[in-house]
Amino acid sequence: MKSKVTLTVNGKERSAEVEPRTLLAELLRDHLGLTGTHVGCDTTQCGCCVVHVDGKAVKSCTMLAVQAAGKQVTTIEGLAKPDGTLHPMQEAFREHHGLQCGFCTPGMVMMAVDIARRRPGADEKTVREELEGNLCRCTGYQGIVEAILSVVNPGAVKDHHHA
Amino acid sequence: MHNFAYHAPASLDAALKLIGEKEDGKIIAGGMTLLPTLKQRLAAPSDLIDLAGLPDLRGVKKEGGHIVIGAMTTHYEVATSDVVKAAIPALAHLASIIGDPAVRHRGTIGGSLANSDPAADYPGAAMGLNATIVTNKRAIAAEDYFLGLFETALERDEIIVSVRFPIPEKAAYQKFRHPASGYAVAGVMVSKTGAQVRVGVTGAGPNAFRARDFEAALEKSFTAEAIKDVKMSPDSLLSDIHCSAEYRAHLVGVLARRAVAQA
């Protein structure tokens, strides 16, 4: 039942033999070794598995690998520059203490980049609404929201860590 | 999830041929309900027929006094469509509060209507805006389309192609959103076109329905005041872990008044 799926991941063409039921998250983690994409709930709720497919944030636990054939997929591994320079959103998460245990972080950052694309200039309320499909169980969101605001709307940041 | 064969037809005819051949086949649109259902093994289709490769099923256009939305148009595309926002802003708003941003990038209007989840938003819009569901075979008025819990008038070899919404003079959607899932505990779409008022309710019953007592009162006077004493019977409404039928009946009244005030 396996078939070959070819897609572009982080700018490189990749192929794998997968079953029709293989999830995009499983393709990325188990077949391509890109374990930065996390699977938290596996029920489309927590957002730890968010990646970009053709430029849009999707939950990779709720998309089949075969549905990504021919598409452009970007994962957390594809954000930093090859020399290791962090993406501005990754840098903002570091600067504003937007992570603690780090489990939700890849999905948070991928969603944050998507929010920055769709909602430039967003206020704090909007950022919080936009994050409703991403759950963090330890930092409590304050640092995450500040990090995203510092990129999309720097004037709106009320930074508690750098008072 | 059980395994299945996957098909990505490139035309509606090819998709229909497959659904004719694969007795236990199932159509997949955005997959935002179907894939979680398969993961829980609540369904085990032999074949999945993916409509994502049919560009004719995607997009929004204005045709005379109607907005026509392709079945595979995503919630994000409806929410951000300038055509929808200009003609029926209540519909764009409804699409913008379904699920979460990642779900809105995949979920589709056709998938939502074909599934007819009692707590989904689009069925309320179809009822409240007097939509027509256009399939490969026929055009079905929303009123004739929703038959029960997850049950519609769609036949096995019938695929939704588009949804036609007449452009109302006024409309508004109000939803009591479950804080965790985003689904409608109850949702009400109110619209007014000339003397005719439609009140579509979702989330409250086994399927979307019209609240005719509210419509009659609002046709006399399109004000929140006009329906403050109109009561929704809890008799056929849902009771579940979230709330009782009586609570939902009360919510429908509150949401209908808010929607009228907002329209």
Side-chain angles (χ1 to χ4, degrees):
Chain A
M1 289 278 274
K2 284 191 178 180
S3 62
K4 186 176 172 186
V5 170
T6 302
L7 67 169
T8 304
V9 181
N10 300 331
K12 292 197 188 86
E13 189 175 291
R14 305 291 297 266
S15 294
E17 293 282 328
V18 298
E19 290 184 322
R21 64 179 166 182
T22 302
L23 302 171
L24 176 57
E26 294 168 339
L27 167 67
L28 294 170
R29 290 178 54 83
D30 304 341
H31 295 259
L32 304 181
L34 295 168
T35 53
T37 298
H38 292 168
V39 177
C41 69
D42 202 11
T43 54
T44 338
Q45 297 177 76
C46 77
C48 295
C49 67
V50 168
V51 301
H52 297 175
V53 175
D54 286 348
K56 293 195 175 82
V58 306
K59 291 181 170 176
S60 63
C61 80
T62 311
M63 179 169 176
L64 300 172
V66 288
Q67 292 182 299
K71 302 215 181 285
Q72 302 274 343
V73 175
T74 305
T75 70
I76 190 72
E77 290 92 342
L79 284 191
K81 289 187 180 155
D83 69 1
T85 307
L86 293 180
H87 182 282
M89 191 62 79
Q90 291 173 306
E91 188 59 41
F93 268 64
R94 195 185 67 78
E95 174 70 19
H96 292 273
H97 200 77
L99 63 153
Q100 192 168 311
C101 86
F103 192 85
C104 73
T105 310
M108 283 286 179
V109 172
M110 296 311 286
M111 180 53 77
V113 171
D114 191 75
I115 293 169
R117 172 180 67 82
R118 289 182 291 108
R119 309 297 295 262
D123 60 11
E124 180 178 339
K125 180 171 177 286
T126 303
V127 168
R128 288 182 183 275
E129 283 169 3
E130 290 283 341
L131 283 175
E132 68 192 350
N134 291 76
L135 303 181
C136 168
R137 298 288 80 143
C138 58
T139 72
Y141 300 97
Q142 192 61 36
I144 295 169
V145 171
E146 283 169 6
I148 298 171
L149 279 175
S150 77
V151 173
V152 302
N153 188 0
V157 180
K158 288 170 275 182
D159 197 323
H160 298 82
H161 299 290
H162 298 79
Chain B
M1 116 173 71
H2 291 290
N3 225 338
F4 47 79
Y6 174 81
H7 311 271
S11 71
L12 188 60
D13 285 345
L16 289 166
K17 186 164 180 288
L18 281 163
I19 199 75
E21 288 167 3
K22 312 292 182 188
E23 206 172 302
D24 292 321
K26 186 109 181 120
I27 292 164
I28 181 166
M32 292 298 97
T33 301
L34 183 56
L35 289 175
T37 305
L38 297 184
K39 284 186 186 183
Q40 292 181 68
R41 298 193 169 186
L42 294 171
S46 61
D47 298 76
L48 279 193
I49 299 153
D50 192 342
L51 303 184
L54 310 187
D56 291 352
L57 264 57
R58 201 152 185 157
V60 176
K61 58 190 176 206
K62 187 163 178 265
E63 279 182 7
H66 288 77
I67 296 298
V68 182
I69 302 179
M72 287 297 287
T73 309
T74 64
H75 308 324
Y76 174 73
E77 288 162 348
V78 173
T80 57
S81 158
D82 290 335
V83 176
V84 179
K85 283 197 284 188
I88 319 179
L91 185 60
H93 170 67
L94 175 146
S96 78
I97 55 171
I98 298 172
D100 62 55
V103 167
R104 293 194 287 271
H105 282 153
R106 296 285 301 161
T108 67
I109 185 169
S112 172
L113 291 173
N115 188 45
S116 185
D117 188 303
D121 295 279
Y122 272 125
M127 275 297 187
L129 295 170
N130 193 16
T132 302
I133 289 96
V134 180
T135 75
N136 57 305
K137 291 182 170 180
R138 55 187 170 147
I140 311 170
E143 260 191 277
D144 303 324
Y145 175 82
F146 299 101
L147 301 184
L149 194 72
F150 297 105
E151 192 188 348
T152 71
L154 288 177
E155 290 163 14
R156 219 197 70 79
D157 57 347
E158 196 166 19
I159 294 176
I160 301 176
V161 174
S162 64
V163 188
R164 293 174 63 84
F165 292 93
I167 300 172
E169 281 162 34
K170 296 175 169 188
Y173 181 63
Q174 284 283 336
K175 163 186 185 177
F176 192 89
R177 199 171 194 270
H178 189 281
S181 70
Y183 275 107
V185 176
V188 177
M189 174 70 88
V190 170
S191 72
K192 182 177 187 299
T193 306
Q196 198 191 40
V197 173
R198 299 270 301 213
V199 179
V201 179
T202 193
N207 55 269
F209 61 91
R210 287 173 67 180
R212 290 174 192 269
D213 292 350
F214 288 86
E215 291 178 0
L218 290 168
E219 283 178 355
K220 291 195 189 99
S221 164
F222 193 74
T223 59
E225 180 73 13
I227 50 172
K228 80 175 173 22
D229 295 324
V230 180
K231 297 275 183 261
M232 162 77 42
S233 165
D235 287 352
S236 57
L237 301 188
L238 300 173
S239 280
D240 56 25
I241 188 173
H242 308 306
C243 61
S244 65
E246 289 75 15
Y247 186 90
R248 281 195 167 87
H250 179 74
L251 265 186
V252 169
V254 172
L255 295 171
R257 292 199 294 279
R258 286 183 188 170
V260 170
Q262 190 195 345

